[in-house]
Amino acid sequence: MFKHILNNDFANIVKGRRSVRNYDENVKISKEELSEMISEAALAPSSANMQPWRAIVVHTPEGKDKLRPLVRFNTLQNDTSSAMLLIFGDTQSYLYTEDIYNTAVEQGKMPAEVRDRQLETILSMYPTLPKETKVEVAKIDSSLFAMQFMLVARAHGYDTNPMAGFEVDRLAKAFDLDEERFVPVMIISIGKAKEEGYESVRLSADKFTTWA
Ligand SMILES: Cc1cc2nc3c(=O)[nH]c(=O)nc-3n(C[C@H](O)[C@H](O)[C@H](O)COP(=O)(O)O)c2cc1C
């Protein structure tokens, strides 16, 4: 991790991020570097550290052909980006909880008693939650992963565009995922800008903040 960082200037990473929709088609990001960025993004926090984000990296011409009819008005990003990251939330992420917590104990990052206590709480609660709550948790956590991925991409010298404009009801099935279990969260295109994104405005903080 962090082998390919080109930009370590936090203010520049955050302030200079723009949604880029048109990419230099000659830039291909290696599988190794994409994997590294995904690992770095996965340092994001999540509810009970259950890490419900799941990713499909669409980077081959065949994958792009399959995705094109599903991305509505976002075909330029699909056709010019180095890759399209399909982010899903796993509503059964608790199936990995024992793995995660056992690894934490093995690596000396958590005492065994804490693991036992937490596993008991998590595994007695999460599987029984209503479906809407499971979907909500998976989407919130996966959105944090998505945001972190976009900032990580900037640190690697790349540009991104988050997208919700896609066929939500068809994406999982098209990529052979169980649509009952995996909920689509967002697609992020990644590549090197051919055309810079335009600067956008933000509400001033006092318009959306109250103090109590
Ligand atoms: C959840 C989400 C969905 C979005 N969907 C799309 C989309 O489908 N197509 C697109 O071109 N931009 C999409 N955007 C990008 C927004 O238009 C963009 O983030 C916003 O205008 C602010 O611009 P900036 O990203 O350059 O700061 C989306 C952004 C978010 C966070």
Side-chain angles (χ1 to χ4, degrees):
M1 276 202 271
F2 301 110
K3 279 193 301 193
H4 293 88
I5 301 296
L6 295 183
N7 181 359
N8 225 344
D9 178 342
F10 184 71
N12 176 280
I13 286 173
V14 173
K15 195 156 184 275
R17 187 205 54 77
R18 315 243 181 288
S19 283
V20 165
R21 298 171 175 93
N22 192 5
Y23 300 88
D24 179 345
E25 289 164 76
N26 299 313
V27 174
K28 287 277 160 248
I29 309 173
S30 69
K31 214 169 157 180
E32 185 209 352
E33 189 172 9
L34 283 164
S35 303
E36 191 179 308
M37 286 189 271
I38 290 168
S39 300
E40 289 160 6
L43 296 173
S46 60
S47 171
N49 198 23
M50 283 165 44
Q51 307 163 42
W53 42 77
R54 305 289 176 257
I56 297 179
V57 185
V58 179
H59 68 135
T60 62
E62 300 73 40
K64 296 280 195 80
D65 286 346
K66 194 195 272 192
L67 187 55
R68 190 172 303 107
L70 302 173
V71 293
R72 297 188 178 173
F73 43 86
N74 293 306
T75 51
L76 185 63
Q77 297 92 315
N78 186 58
D79 293 345
T80 62
S81 64
S82 183
M84 299 279 273
L85 188 73
L86 318 185
I87 302 176
F88 291 87
D90 185 355
T91 59
Q92 292 179 22
S93 59
Y94 50 82
L95 296 177
Y96 292 92
T97 314
E98 281 190 78
D99 264 14
I100 294 168
Y101 280 72
N102 285 340
T103 307
V105 172
E106 279 160 29
Q107 293 185 358
K109 292 174 178 161
M110 182 183 280
E113 317 79 76
V114 174
R115 170 200 56 196
D116 295 345
R117 240 189 357 255
Q118 295 208 3
L119 279 181
E120 203 186 314
T121 313
I122 293 166
L123 295 177
S124 63
M125 181 184 75
Y126 270 88
T128 66
L129 291 172
K131 178 82 191 282
E132 313 85 78
T133 311
K134 286 179 181 158
V135 168
E136 195 181 32
V137 170
K139 283 189 168 178
I140 290 172
D141 289 343
S142 302
S143 298
L144 296 177
F145 166 82
M147 183 69 245
Q148 183 130 305
F149 181 81
M150 289 187 271
L151 297 180
V152 162
R154 292 267 303 146
H156 282 247
Y158 300 116
D159 302 289
T160 57
N161 180 205
M163 283 165 272
F166 59 86
E167 304 300 338
V168 177
D169 299 339
R170 290 163 54 200
L171 197 70
K173 205 155 177 214
F175 286 86
D176 304 320
L177 286 183
D178 172 359
E179 56 195 341
E180 277 303 304
R181 173 170 171 182
F182 299 98
V183 289
V185 175
M186 206 181 296
I187 299 179
I188 299 179
S189 52
I190 179 165
K192 194 106 189 149
K194 178 149 80 186
E195 209 178 292
E196 288 305 317
Y198 50 85
E199 221 176 317
S200 53
V201 299
R202 295 294 185 268
L203 293 170
S204 63
D206 60 3
K207 286 227 169 78
F208 61 85
T209 310
T210 51
W211 303 76

